[in-house]
Amino acid sequence: GKFQIVSPSGSPSASPSLTLCPREPENLQGKVNISEEIQKMEDIEKKLEYIKMGGSYYPSLCAPLFNVAIMVAYRWRYNHLVVLLNNLHPILARHNIHYRIFVFNQNGNNTFNKGMVWNVGFTEALKLEHFDCVFLHDVDHLPENDRML
């Protein structure tokens, strides 16, 4: 699925005819309704058709000011992951930024080492493209307000 594949294609080039996206988008809602419904990844992908392969979004009506990476350290919490992606993508897209959500998994049965997962993930993400900002995000934390950026 489109949330599981990381493509090294980098960010799309903005059309020269696009104006810069506003720093403070007018379509932010403030407090948002969080859905904790467990959905199939395929259903989320269909609903969020604006998300590109590799978990990235690029606004179509303006040139984004920022390129942001959201890194999620993950292991054995699939239900939390689908709830996070279902809620986080719409919130981030309203900000008119170019972003990519990376989900980094630690394999094996050793004690989960979130810091190591984020360090490895950060190194790998920077091989794909430049980011202006990087967020380290937990799979079980859901933003309740879309003005959080």
Side-chain angles (χ1 to χ4, degrees), residues 22-83:
R23 276 194 182 275
E24 296 182 29
E26 296 177 8
N27 60 339
L28 298 182
Q29 302 169 359
K31 184 169 174 40
V32 294
N33 293 323
I34 298 296
S35 170
E36 294 186 47
E37 178 185 356
I38 310 293
Q39 298 181 27
K40 293 180 183 175
M41 188 68 78
E42 298 81 26
D43 294 337
I44 295 171
E45 290 175 354
K46 286 177 190 168
K47 182 175 86 173
L48 303 176
E49 82 283 345
Y50 53 87
I51 304 302
K52 304 292 183 230
M53 191 68 71
S56 98
Y57 171 79
Y58 197 89
S60 60
L61 301 177
C62 58
L65 295 172
F66 304 104
N67 189 15
V68 177
I70 297 88
M71 300 191 184
V72 179
Y74 168 80
R75 184 163 96 174
W76 303 333
R77 307 203 40 210
Y78 183 79
N79 289 347
H80 287 102
L81 179 62
V82 294
V83 169

